[in-house]
Amino acid sequence: MSTVDVELSRATEQLAAAGIDSARSDAEWLLVALSGVDRGRLLMMDALDDAARTAYRAAVTRRAQRIPLQHIIGTAAFGPAELAVGPGVFTPRPETEFLAEWACGAAGRIDGPASVVDLCSGSGALAIAIATMLPTARVRAVERSPVALEWLRGNVDRAAGSVRARVSVVAADVTDADRMRASIPTGSIDVVVANPPYVPDGAAVAPEVAHDPAEAVFAGADGMSVITPMLTVIAGMLRPGGVVGLEHDDSTSDAVVAAMSVTGAFVDVRAHRDLAGRPRFVTARRGPAGPLRSA
Ligand SMILES: C[S@@+](CC[C@H](N)C(=O)[O-])C[C@H]1O[C@@H](n2cnc3c(N)ncnc32)[C@H](O)[C@@H]1O
């Protein structure tokens, strides 16, 4: 038998030694996942028996190998949503919740049910969180990867309440303007969100990123290989006055602002920072419909 506080301290030391900043919190979440006990009640748990201790230590060792916490426990929390994640799909990051909140604020100012599109949807984090927070919104989740699409469809099927009926999945390449026009009528959308691949090739990333599909993360030498072609697609689907929020690498805020401005399609182009002060996403409003310049 081993007391819970001894096991948690041991796990925290092992995870901190592996370079994990959130060592104590990860140690606790792994124990929550194995025991089913609420995080706030862990220290009131009985001591771990041998089988429980062995299973817990094995999970901690996997995390110390920098396997993402979410892959070990099988789910990722994202705003009000809990998503199944694992190999072949991008693990949603907490910083993307800012974009979900911005989108809900924008959509909440619209009369009637909002039409929302989540481009590069991955596990469906943004689409499902937005549909959960906006109980009448209709959300289209667009994704290209066949494996990610399986996770996405599974998460939509398991979503609570009316979310399942209000989120539809579109299997498509978001840079394919003809395909996108065929799926989403021109000028029909109120709000577009996108967390596309945007890390410049070769940039230093945390070891956990090796468990995300490369096509979900990297986007050419300048990090813009998906964003730039996606802009004309976004301009096409937004109604005049509709808005877009686009997450990007912290080194590409100016490039995203410039690429948006050059299309001539967007007004009120604004860069936003996260709580740590890093440039995180750019928002803009669709100007009056008209011919687009090449981005
Ligand atoms: C950074 S992940 C974001 C996933 C999700 N939106 C989130 O915030 O957790 C980017 C996603 O875009 C998808 N993707 C990459 N290129 C794409 C393309 N050209 N068309 C559609 N999806 C694409 C990847 O498969 C991946 O699921």
Side-chain angles (χ1 to χ4, degrees), residues 78 83 88-93 96 99 118-127 142-145 148 172-176 194-198 213 215-218 226 230 247:
F78 186 86
L83 304 142
V89 72
F90 182 84
T91 300
R93 306 297 204 267
T96 304
L99 186 54
D118 170 24
L119 297 172
C120 297
S121 192
S123 64
L126 281 163
V142 186
E143 171 60 49
R144 176 181 67 175
S145 150
D173 179 338
V174 300
T175 67
D176 180 342
N195 177 19
Y198 56 63
E215 68 174 311
V217 177
F218 297 103
V226 176
M230 204 170 60
E247 187 168 316

Side-chain angles (χ1 to χ4, degrees), residues 19 166 219 273:
R166 289 182 293 108
R273 290 174 182 268

Side-chain angles (χ1 to χ4, degrees), residues 67-87:
I67 296 170
L69 175 70
Q70 296 87 345
H71 280 210
I72 300 169
I73 66 181
T75 57
F78 186 86
E82 188 173 73
L83 304 142
V85 292

Side-chain angles (χ1 to χ4, degrees), residues 11-36:
T12 302
E13 272 175 38
Q14 187 180 349
L15 297 181
I20 295 169
D21 291 338
S22 53
R24 175 72 190 197
S25 138
D26 284 18
E28 291 180 0
W29 282 118
L30 288 170
L31 191 52
V32 167
L34 277 177
S35 66

Side-chain angles (χ1 to χ4, degrees), residues 80 104 125-139 162-164 166-167:
C104 288
L126 281 163
I128 293 169
I130 290 169
T132 305
M133 292 190 275
L134 294 173
T136 60
R138 303 236 156 231
V139 185
S162 70
V163 170
R164 179 178 172 182
R166 289 182 293 108
V167 177

